[in-house]
Amino acid sequence: MGQDSLVVAVVGATGAVGREMLKTLEQRNFPATRVRALASARSAGSVVPYMDGELTVEELTTDSFKGTDLALFSAGGSTSEKFAPYAVNAGCVVVDNSSAWRMDERCPLVVPEVNPHALERHKGIIANPNCSTIQMLVVLKPLHDAAGIKRVVVSTYQAVSGTGQKAIDELDRQVRQMFNMQEPEVSVYPYRIAFNCLPQIDVFLDNDYTKEEMKMVNETVKILEDPTVRVTATTVRVPVFYGHSESINIETAKKLTAAEARAVLSKAPGVVVYDNPSLKYYPMAIDAAGEDEVFVGRIREDETIDNGLNLWVVADNIRKGAALNAVQIAELLVEKNLLSVKEPDLFLR
Ligand code: NAP
Ligand code: 3JN
């Protein structure tokens, strides 16, 4: 491996996130000398668009990674759990989009604008956080640095694309069926998503929170490296195709006025402040879809406590929430010359 030869594999290349990864590598001129598309046996031999042409999809096997320097995984947790150790064993650095390795102490969990330093200690697998965590932390980190966040209360409004291509198709189909006076078919979600909101994302856990809610809690503490930050979340699926929105309430140690918060966020990397109530300026999912930045508006003081703020945060869940964040991590690995594996058998043991 050298910077003059950089072979990159996208695992899950036929999926909603994998396709966006290929698009992002292309748009950002990622310095790959070759890009490979991998997926399951189901789609081996099919093609996915890349640059001016297409890539033929190869079947993912434990032997897929010889001669590959970097793999961007987006094929679900069980696929990552099984195959990422083989990639590392072949000397290939993995950036994994699933939850499989996020809370593993050996794996840094990275948002480039928030904790790029964590990459320095990678051992072969770097985890990409959950989309809802990513957009929240891009905005909260600068406020945490400025005023010390003690508590976060977040409610999400998550687009169906977060569930993958089948859910995008399901919302589309249900809307058509309802406009044609037909009974909408329900298969991906437990209830109809068209013209509805579902206060359940992923499965319920023993504490009655959903897995998605606890991902936001646990990932935030790991990324901020600060167990004193308390987070409570309610995650809701809404009938939106692209773009997650979040209503975030924070309590800080030090007082931060709304104007001070706006000033801090205006200088923050990856953040766009779009906030002017008198002109009805606030970010919406339809504005964020297809964009790279995290948008924040409705910044106002919480009048029920001494040091509190309310914020409305929106981002494209497939780009910044998944594909773009992973590619930004990959860019940092190249820039910092971190594309090597010291203990190839670490995750196979
Ligand atoms: P999707 O549209 O359903 O695509 C799934 C992809 O995984 C397809 O390419 C599929 O290939 C591939 N795949 C499934 N099982 C496989 C296997 N056994 N071996 C190889 N490839 C396999 O889903 P998506 O929305 O792209 O999401 C994929 C994963 O990304 C999710 O499961 C999740 O872990 C992660 N994700 C993370 C975030 C985040 O918050 N950061 C957001 C969304 C998704 P076939 O065409 O062969 O079936
Ligand atoms: O639902 C969303 O909006 C985000 C979904 C993310 C997701 C979906 C299926 C499996 C994940 C994730 O990234 O946390 C996973 C997973 O890997 O556990």
Side-chain angles (χ1 to χ4, degrees):
M1 207 273 299
Q3 239 56 168
D4 47 338
S5 160
L6 179 48
V7 180
V8 179
V10 172
V11 179
T14 55
V17 176
R19 284 173 186 271
E20 195 67 32
M21 281 174 165
L22 289 169
K23 206 160 103 186
T24 310
L25 289 169
E26 178 182 336
Q27 287 170 340
R28 294 174 71 90
N29 285 321
F30 189 81
T33 46
R34 184 179 161 218
V35 174
R36 301 171 61 205
L38 277 72
S40 79
R42 285 181 295 275
S43 49
S46 66
V47 293
V48 286
Y50 182 66
M51 299 277 203
D52 292 331
E54 39 196 29
L55 301 173
T56 300
V57 177
E58 304 167 56
E59 180 185 349
L60 173 67
T61 70
T62 53
D63 291 330
S64 289
F65 300 96
K66 281 184 202 122
T68 298
D69 306 296
L70 171 67
L72 306 180
F73 270 68
S74 189
S78 55
T79 306
S80 298
E81 218 169 297
K82 175 169 175 195
F83 292 95
Y86 288 97
V88 175
N89 196 237
C92 171
V93 175
V94 170
V95 179
D96 181 38
N97 224 323
S98 81
S99 59
W101 302 97
R102 286 183 193 147
M103 299 312 294
D104 188 308
E105 283 178 7
R106 299 167 295 182
C107 304
L109 182 62
V110 176
V111 181
E113 294 87 345
V114 176
N115 62 337
H117 60 273
L119 279 179
E120 311 277 351
R121 55 174 182 268
H122 90 77
K123 294 183 161 45
I125 300 177
I126 297 108
N128 201 63
N130 178 270
C131 44
S132 300
T133 312
I134 292 175
Q135 70 180 70
M136 180 169 81
L137 288 189
V138 168
V139 168
L140 292 193
K141 176 63 165 55
L143 299 176
H144 189 44
D145 291 343
I149 294 176
K150 288 163 63 181
R151 180 166 185 255
V152 180
V153 182
V154 56
S155 298
T156 68
Y157 305 68
Q158 298 184 215
V160 295
S161 52
T163 316
Q165 194 56 50
K166 284 195 179 114
I168 298 171
D169 298 341
E170 177 145 313
L171 174 58
D172 181 77
R173 191 177 54 248
Q174 288 182 352
V175 169
R176 285 170 202 281
Q177 285 169 330
M178 292 183 73
F179 275 118
N180 284 299
M181 304 297 177
Q182 294 164 347
E183 190 59 32
E185 293 162 40
V186 172
S187 81
V188 174
Y189 297 117
Y191 302 96
R192 191 184 93 204
I193 183 62
F195 310 107
N196 198 10
C197 298
L198 306 176
Q200 177 191 353
I201 296 186
D202 211 328
V203 295
F204 284 101
L205 303 174
D206 288 346
N207 63 359
D208 289 346
Y209 283 79
T210 63
K211 210 167 167 187
E212 183 81 354
E213 288 161 352
M214 294 314 295
K215 283 175 185 172
M216 292 189 79
V217 172
N218 297 325
E219 293 175 18
T220 296
V221 168
K222 176 164 176 178
I223 295 165
L224 292 180
E225 298 167 17
D226 188 347
T228 68
V229 179
R230 310 300 310 276
V231 181
T232 187
T234 302
T235 57
V236 181
R237 186 74 63 196
V238 297
V240 165
F241 284 104
Y242 294 95
H244 286 2
S245 305
E246 297 180 346
S247 167
I248 306 176
N249 175 273
I250 58 170
E251 184 174 0
T252 52
K254 201 181 117 195
K255 171 84 183 162
L256 210 54
T257 65
E260 285 165 344
R262 253 179 234 118
V264 166
L265 291 170
S266 301
K267 293 190 218 107
V271 176
V272 172
V273 178
Y274 190 65
D275 189 26
N276 189 334
S278 64
L279 294 173
K280 301 192 187 77
Y281 284 177
Y282 39 76
M284 294 180 288
I286 53 174
D287 305 317
E291 301 296 325
D292 287 350
E293 293 84 6
V294 178
F295 298 84
V296 57
R298 303 293 326 276
I299 302 168
R300 62 214 188 275
E301 284 155 46
D302 176 350
E303 296 174 344
T304 67
I305 50 174
D306 288 340
N307 302 337
L309 288 169
N310 283 306
L311 314 153
W312 177 252
V313 173
V314 186
D316 186 321
N317 53 301
I318 299 296
R319 280 191 77 82
K320 183 56 190 164
L324 172 64
N325 199 73
V327 172
Q328 286 175 310
I329 291 172
E331 288 170 349
L332 283 178
L333 290 168
V334 173
E335 200 182 298
K336 292 172 181 257
N337 204 15
L338 289 170
L339 275 179
S340 61
V341 173
K342 291 194 181 68
E343 282 180 85
D345 62 344
L346 178 66
F347 297 97
L348 278 179
R349 277 182 221 144

